[in-house]
Amino acid sequence: MLSGGAGSSIHLWDLESSSNTLKHYTYRPAAKVSKLTSSQNFGITHLSFYPFDSLAFLSTSYDHTLKIYATETLVPSGSFDLNSVVYSHALSPIADHLLVACATQHPVVRLVDLRSGASAHSLAGHQGAVLSVAWSPHDEYILASGGSDGTVRLWDIRRSAGSLGVLDLEDSVGIAGEDGLGKNARARERGKAHVGACNGIVWTDDGKYLVTAGHDERVRVWDVGVGANALSYFGPVIKNTHLSTLLPLLVPGHIGASGDQVMLFPNEKEILMFDLFEGTLLKRLRAPGVAVAQASGSAGQRNIRNRVTSLAWRAGDVEFYSAHSDGVIRAWKPRTKEEVQVEKDEAEQVDDGEDESRKRKRQALDDVFRDLTKQKITFT
């Protein structure tokens, strides 16, 4: 696993180093690029492994650069200066092309070609900074982007115009097209997905739905085929006020009951678990000793110390990790049968200990009163 800090450091973690899951375990970085040796001068904004080979990874930073590193040596093998703050990046997990989409402070999506080492071209349409980008998991040429103007745009990078249109939060019907699924439908060029900046975009595994998060403190689900708002409502509990990218985490579809889709959302000092399509709050996950952020001040400013900044699922396993602004990364794993039994045994031992303590205290009181009254006293 990779992690990047506000001080430009990058750490590589060996998740297999934990030998005993029944006890509390603190991971140590297997390797790191410190602030003094880092080739990036400002905080890291996004890290991702190369999708076809974990021996390489990409990083973007507030220093305007996109870099590619060799995982074994942690030495950059390529660097691209985009002349603008890069908030996030995305590389298609299925494409033959090696185009990295970059969300930058400029109102365009920059496409960097790793083969040629040059910026291929730009996708213009947003009216403000682009904050999040994501490639379709089923169509290598389709890209989604969200910006500070509140719009979510879909792009086909093969087209000269590029833009396939925008998503409109007020449209729950969509554009049917010739086949009722959006084929050859006329693109919608007006509308906003959020009343505020959109700083998070993820696709479902099947590529049929898009999930977006915005500064209007809403998470919305979209039927991409027709561009319709699926009207999933997650209630008033969502908190999202920072310009940095904030991505919901979708639990892989093969985990859990058939047909269910679960979303985890980094909600300041807690992680919220929702049913993606029903919007039902399933669970709140809070780290021990971490209080939930409280609103304070007339302007509604929140205490954001130790907030959850990002989530990552461990592929091939049932566990995920959360990064926090206090520099801690926490691992979340389901309890095994052995762990449940250990906790049960410990609880029984505590109960037995409490019973013995009560008996001793009651005997001491009996003795005191017996001495005072010269007669046996019992308590019922």
Side-chain angles (χ1 to χ4, degrees), residues 156-270:
D156 185 339
I157 62 172
R158 297 167 298 184
R159 295 165 50 124
S160 58
S163 178
L164 295 175
V166 300
L167 300 177
D168 185 0
L169 64 89
E170 296 183 357
D171 184 2
S172 61
V173 177
I175 303 173
E178 296 175 357
D179 59 355
L181 298 175
K183 181 180 179 181
N184 294 328
R186 189 168 66 179
R188 182 195 297 112
E189 290 300 332
R190 292 185 179 181
K192 291 191 175 185
H194 290 274
V195 185
C198 173
N199 61 338
I201 293 182
V202 292
W203 295 80
T204 56
D205 290 341
D206 57 13
K208 294 180 179 180
Y209 293 91
L210 198 65
V211 183
T212 64
H215 282 189
D216 53 2
E217 301 194 327
R218 294 288 184 270
V219 174
R220 293 193 170 90
V221 182
W222 308 86
D223 182 340
V224 179
V226 295
N229 183 351
L231 299 180
S232 296
Y233 179 61
F234 301 96
V237 296
I238 299 294
K239 306 300 179 187
N240 181 4
T241 58
H242 297 270
L243 197 62
S244 56
T245 302
L246 192 69
L247 299 177
L249 176 63
L250 302 184
V251 176
H254 65 274
I255 296 174
S258 177
D260 290 347
Q261 180 73 70
V262 175
M263 178 188 74
L264 299 168
F265 187 79
N267 201 54
E268 292 192 341
K269 290 192 175 183
E270 61 183 346

Side-chain angles (χ1 to χ4, degrees), residues 58 97 100 129 140 166 196 225 269 271 333:
L58 300 170
H97 64 72
V100 182
E140 61 183 309
V166 300
K269 290 192 175 183
I271 301 168
K333 304 179 182 182

Side-chain angles (χ1 to χ4, degrees), residues 48-367:
S48 66
F49 278 110
Y50 191 65
F52 310 109
D53 189 349
S54 61
L55 293 178
F57 67 88
L58 300 170
S59 75
T60 48
S61 168
Y62 285 109
D63 68 0
H64 302 182
T65 63
L66 164 72
K67 294 183 185 294
I68 182 168
Y69 284 80
T71 304
E72 291 184 343
T73 62
L74 296 183
V75 174
S77 55
S79 179
F80 307 88
D81 188 351
L82 300 182
N83 299 311
S84 178
V85 171
V86 187
Y87 293 110
S88 67
H89 65 268
L91 188 60
S92 174
I94 61 170
D96 291 330
H97 64 72
L98 292 179
L99 295 176
V100 182
C102 296
T104 71
Q105 195 172 21
H106 288 162
V108 294
V109 179
R110 298 285 297 275
L111 298 179
V112 176
D113 190 341
L114 296 182
R115 282 199 178 97
S116 66
S119 178
H121 60 284
S122 301
L123 303 173
H126 286 283
Q127 301 302 311
V130 184
L131 303 178
S132 185
V133 287
W135 291 96
S136 166
H138 276 256
D139 191 324
E140 61 183 309
Y141 299 108
I142 302 300
L143 176 73
S145 63
S148 60
D149 57 358
T151 63
V152 172
R153 289 187 171 271
L154 295 173
W155 311 86
D156 185 339
I157 62 172
R158 297 167 298 184
R159 295 165 50 124
S160 58
S163 178
L164 295 175
V166 300
L167 300 177
D168 185 0
L169 64 89
E170 296 183 357
D171 184 2
S172 61
V173 177
I175 303 173
E178 296 175 357
D179 59 355
L181 298 175
K183 181 180 179 181
N184 294 328
R186 189 168 66 179
R188 182 195 297 112
E189 290 300 332
R190 292 185 179 181
K192 291 191 175 185
H194 290 274
V195 185
C198 173
N199 61 338
I201 293 182
V202 292
W203 295 80
T204 56
D205 290 341
D206 57 13
K208 294 180 179 180
Y209 293 91
L210 198 65
V211 183
T212 64
H215 282 189
D216 53 2
E217 301 194 327
R218 294 288 184 270
V219 174
R220 293 193 170 90
V221 182
W222 308 86
D223 182 340
V224 179
V226 295
N229 183 351
L231 299 180
S232 296
Y233 179 61
F234 301 96
V237 296
I238 299 294
K239 306 300 179 187
N240 181 4
T241 58
H242 297 270
L243 197 62
S244 56
T245 302
L246 192 69
L247 299 177
L249 176 63
L250 302 184
V251 176
H254 65 274
I255 296 174
S258 177
D260 290 347
Q261 180 73 70
V262 175
M263 178 188 74
L264 299 168
F265 187 79
N267 201 54
E268 292 192 341
K269 290 192 175 183
E270 61 183 346
I271 301 168
L272 302 180
M273 180 184 294
F274 291 100
D275 181 296
L276 181 63
F277 297 109
E278 296 296 329
T280 307
L281 178 61
L282 304 176
K283 197 168 187 178
R284 293 175 183 260
L285 302 175
R286 297 169 183 166
V290 176
V292 179
Q294 299 293 327
S296 62
S298 58
Q301 296 293 323
R302 293 186 180 88
N303 177 10
I304 58 168
R305 295 170 58 188
N306 193 29
R307 68 186 179 91
V308 185
T309 57
S310 64
L311 303 173
W313 190 267
R314 183 178 181 182
D317 215 323
V318 186
E319 62 186 64
F320 71 95
Y321 297 81
S322 61
H324 301 253
S325 57
D326 61 355
V328 174
I329 299 175
R330 292 182 169 88
W332 301 84
K333 304 179 182 182
R335 294 188 302 169
T336 63
K337 292 181 180 179
E338 292 81 2
E339 290 173 315
V340 172
Q341 186 60 46
V342 168
E343 291 181 1
K344 184 177 180 181
D345 293 342
E346 290 177 348
E348 290 177 352
Q349 292 175 4
V350 170
D351 290 341
D352 292 342
E354 290 178 349
D355 290 341
E356 291 297 328
S357 177
R358 289 194 186 104
K359 289 179 181 178
R360 288 195 298 269
K361 290 178 179 178
R362 180 168 295 180
Q363 183 61 48
L365 287 173
D366 283 347
D367 293 341

